[in-house]
Amino acid sequence: MLTDKQKNEVKELIQRRITDSENELQLLKQLTAAVAPDNSIGRISRMDAINNKSVNEAAYHKTRKRLQQLKNVQEEVDNSTFGTCLRCGKPIAYERILIMPEKRVCVHCST
Ligand SMILES: [Zn+2]
């Protein structure tokens, strides 16, 4: 079980990460905007732009998924089950919660 102080710490941490992820999503959204069908940038740089676009799109989906996980977990911090592994039911190390608050399983169950 987490103490109230720890819960508040985790809540602040999650809130910060949500803000960060939202900022990152905005940036990635701009980067994944349609590649202009403009011949002036040249064929090679256009291919570069398309490659970067798929990299950024992958990052966008990953960040969006993480943001959703963070939002889900944000609502659960006050539940008595928070900090307990969803798979084996053992307590999750507080250090691990601080590093990856969106993960709901302990280090042993995550592999
Ligand atoms: Zn576990």
Side-chain angles (χ1 to χ4, degrees):
M1 273 295 281
L2 297 182
T3 65
D4 286 346
K5 186 169 170 285
Q6 286 174 326
K7 281 183 184 175
N8 285 333
E9 250 173 32
V10 173
K11 281 182 201 166
E12 277 176 34
L13 177 82
I14 292 173
Q15 189 52 54
R16 270 202 307 274
R17 294 209 179 167
I18 285 176
T19 308
D20 286 352
S21 300
E22 280 171 346
N23 291 340
E24 206 179 323
L25 274 184
Q26 289 226 321
L27 181 70
L28 287 167
K29 205 169 185 173
Q30 288 168 14
L31 292 174
T32 56
V35 178
D38 185 350
N39 291 329
S40 67
I41 62 173
R43 190 159 166 267
I44 301 292
S45 51
R46 185 169 151 72
M47 281 168 68
D48 273 353
I50 290 169
N51 278 341
N52 287 340
K53 189 174 186 283
S54 49
V55 170
N56 289 328
E57 268 169 2
Y60 180 83
H61 290 298
K62 204 174 151 193
T63 305
R64 202 172 61 174
K65 190 177 164 205
R66 191 158 156 260
L67 177 62
Q68 193 53 56
Q69 288 176 329
L70 285 165
K71 283 184 173 172
N72 290 345
V73 87
Q74 187 177 40
E75 293 169 7
E76 293 176 30
V77 176
D78 281 321
N79 291 356
S80 59
T81 52
F82 183 80
T84 305
C85 174
L86 288 181
R87 214 165 286 171
C88 70
K90 287 179 186 159
I92 301 174
Y94 186 55
E95 292 73 22
R96 176 174 167 82
I97 296 174
L98 290 183
I99 297 167
M100 290 179 287
E102 71 275 19
K103 296 277 188 276
R104 303 297 315 279
V105 294
C106 76
V107 65
H108 304 290
C109 295
S110 71
T111 50

